[in-house]
Amino acid sequence: MFPYDTADWSVVDGPMYMLANTSLPGIFTAIAAVLCVCVWVLVVGNRSEHQ
Amino acid sequence: MGISGAAYASAIAFGRGESAQYMGPNIADQSSGVFFGAFAMFAATTASIMSGAVIERIQTVGFVILAIVLGSFAWIVAAAWGWHADGWLVTQRGVHDFGAAGLVHAVAGFFALGVLMHLGPRIGKFNADGTANHIAGHNMPLTVTGLMLIIVGFWGFLMACVIVPGEAWSWFADKQSTIYGTPITLSALAFNILMAIAGGIIGSWIWTKDPFWMMSGALAGIISVASGLDIYFSALAFIIATSAGMILKPAAIWLESRGINDAVGTVTVHGTIGLYGVIMLGVFGSGYPALTIANAPVITLYGQIIGAVVFFLLGFVPGWVSVL
C-alpha cells in the first residue's frame, strides 16, 4: 500500500500515508463515521440509554 | 556515539567528561539527552507493565530481579533485532515497529504471562469449581486518573521515538525520521495517537460500559497502531484502534478462563494487543520500504508475523524461565 510506484523513500516528496492519492482514505473515514454515528450512537448508545 | 550508562551517569553527576555535553544546555546537541532518557524510560516501562499483572502476590526482591531481567535483557534483545536499522528482523524480514508495540509492550506483556503461570492467582480469585471472582480496585476515580496519566505519557513516549534533524547522529539534515531512518512527521504522530485513543475508548465501550476498561481501551488503541503511527492514515488508525478496544475484554476473559489471574489486564492490553498491532501493520502496510537504503526490504504480513512470534518468545521464555 506504499503510495508511490517505487518502494523507495527517496522518491517520496509529499503524502506518505497508506493509499495516499486514492479514494481509500476517504472510505476509511466514511467507515469510521458510519460506525460512530449510526451504529454506536444511534443503535448501541440508544439501547444502553434505555437500560 | 558510544555513551555507556555509567559514563552518562557520571557525566551528569560531575558535569564533566564526554557525555556531560549531551545532558546540559548545548546548542550543538539538542536531543541526545532526550533519546537517552527515553530509552531509560522504556526499560523502566517494561517493569511497570509487568508490575500491574503481579500485584498483591510478589515479594519486592523477586520483582526487582524480574525487572532487571526484563528491563536490561529481554526487551533490549528485541529492540536490537527489531528496532534498529541493522537488526536482522528489519534487514532480513522488513519488520517495522515504530512505536514499540511488539518489542516493548508485547515483550513485557508476555514476560508477565510467563511469570503469572508460576505465580498463581491471588487468594480468593478463583472458586473451587474454577469460576473466577471479580476483585474490584479500591478507588475507581484514582484508577482512571492513573490510566489517563499513562495516556498522557504516551505522547512523550512516542514523540521521543522520533530522531530530530540536524544533529550529528541524525538521519536527515532537514526532516524527522524514525529509528529505522524512514521519514515521519509530528502531525502524523499527533493525529494518529489522538484517533487511537478515541477508537480504543469507543471500541471497549461497546462491550463493557466500564470506565476501567474504556481507559484501558485507550491504551490498547494506542498500542494497536503504535507499529505504524508514522504511516497510518488517521481514520484507519481509528478503525484499527476500535477493533483493538472491542477484542480487549473478551481476550482478558479468555485468559482468566485459563486460570491466569492478570490483575489489571496487562497480558491482554500490552501483550495480545501489542502483537495484534504488529500484525495489523503487516495487513495494511505491506509494500512500505522498511529502511531508507536502495533496494530496502519492504514490510510484509509474513515478516510482521515473524516479528510477532519473535517478540512473543523474547518476552514469554525469559519470564517463564526466570521464575523456575
Side-chain angles (χ1 to χ4, degrees):
Chain A
M1 293 191 180
F2 191 58
Y4 294 83
D5 293 335
T6 306
D8 189 332
W9 284 108
S10 64
V11 305
V12 175
D13 57 358
M16 56 188 184
Y17 52 82
M18 292 172 189
L19 300 163
N21 304 318
T22 73
S23 58
L24 271 173
I27 292 174
F28 290 142
T29 304
I31 292 170
V34 168
L35 285 174
C36 285
V37 177
C38 297
V39 180
W40 296 328
V41 174
L42 297 181
V43 179
V44 181
N46 194 46
R47 188 184 302 148
S48 67
E49 285 286 307
H50 289 84
Q51 289 176 347
Chain B
M1 231 169 9
I3 308 173
S4 74
Y8 200 80
S10 298
I12 294 170
F14 301 114
R16 63 173 183 269
E18 181 188 0
S19 303
Q21 61 180 309
Y22 304 122
M23 182 67 180
N26 181 354
I27 198 67
D29 190 328
Q30 301 183 56
S31 60
S32 291
V34 172
F35 216 57
F36 186 94
F39 273 75
M41 185 192 71
F42 296 155
T45 297
T46 58
S48 72
I49 289 170
M50 175 181 60
S51 69
V54 300
I55 53 172
E56 297 182 341
R57 78 212 106 133
I58 193 168
Q59 292 182 332
T60 302
V61 172
F63 176 77
V64 169
I65 293 170
L66 291 172
I68 291 171
V69 174
L70 174 57
S72 64
F73 170 71
W75 92 274
I76 299 292
V77 175
W81 289 355
W83 213 17
H84 191 283
D86 295 329
W88 72 270
L89 282 174
V90 183
T91 58
Q92 296 181 30
R93 299 296 176 192
V95 167
H96 190 81
D97 190 13
F98 161 76
L103 53 90
V104 168
H105 294 284
V107 167
F110 286 109
F111 187 98
L113 176 62
V115 174
L116 286 173
M117 290 176 70
H118 291 292
L119 203 56
R122 290 174 288 177
I123 295 172
K125 177 62 184 176
F126 292 106
N127 300 311
D129 61 358
T131 56
N133 297 313
H134 177 59
I135 302 177
H138 296 294
N139 190 313
M140 181 60 80
L142 275 180
T143 302
V144 172
T145 301
L147 285 164
M148 288 180 172
L149 287 171
I150 300 173
I151 294 168
V152 172
F154 256 110
W155 296 81
F157 180 101
L158 293 162
M159 295 285 181
C161 297
V162 175
I163 296 180
V164 300
E167 302 291 315
W169 47 279
S170 300
W171 286 91
F172 302 109
D174 57 350
K175 56 188 175 187
Q176 295 92 358
S177 69
T178 66
I179 286 171
Y180 306 107
T182 57
I184 187 172
T185 67
L186 297 181
S187 297
L189 269 182
F191 279 96
N192 284 343
I193 295 171
L194 190 62
M195 289 296 100
I197 293 169
I201 290 175
I202 293 172
S204 53
W205 168 80
I206 298 295
W207 303 132
T208 69
K209 313 290 191 295
D210 180 331
F212 170 78
W213 283 106
M214 288 166 68
M215 283 300 116
S216 294
L219 300 183
I222 299 171
I223 294 167
S224 69
V225 298
S227 293
L229 280 169
D230 50 332
I231 49 179
Y232 277 130
F233 183 66
S234 299
L236 179 57
F238 176 86
I239 293 170
I240 294 172
T242 304
S243 68
M246 291 179 71
I247 65 176
L248 186 61
K249 191 173 182 184
I253 291 173
W254 181 85
L255 192 69
E256 193 174 77
S257 72
R258 304 272 80 79
I260 302 295
N261 179 201
D262 178 6
V264 298
T266 293
V267 178
T268 305
V269 173
H270 297 273
T272 306
I273 300 298
L275 295 189
Y276 177 74
V278 171
I279 293 170
M280 280 297 105
L281 181 62
V283 172
F284 291 103
S286 291
Y288 270 77
L291 293 166
T292 50
I293 58 175
N295 300 315
V298 297
I299 300 170
T300 63
L301 176 58
Y302 176 67
Q304 293 296 107
I305 291 173
I306 295 284
V309 171
V310 170
F311 295 145
F312 167 81
L313 293 174
L314 282 174
F316 179 76
V317 173
W320 196 83
V321 170
S322 296
V323 193
L324 287 176

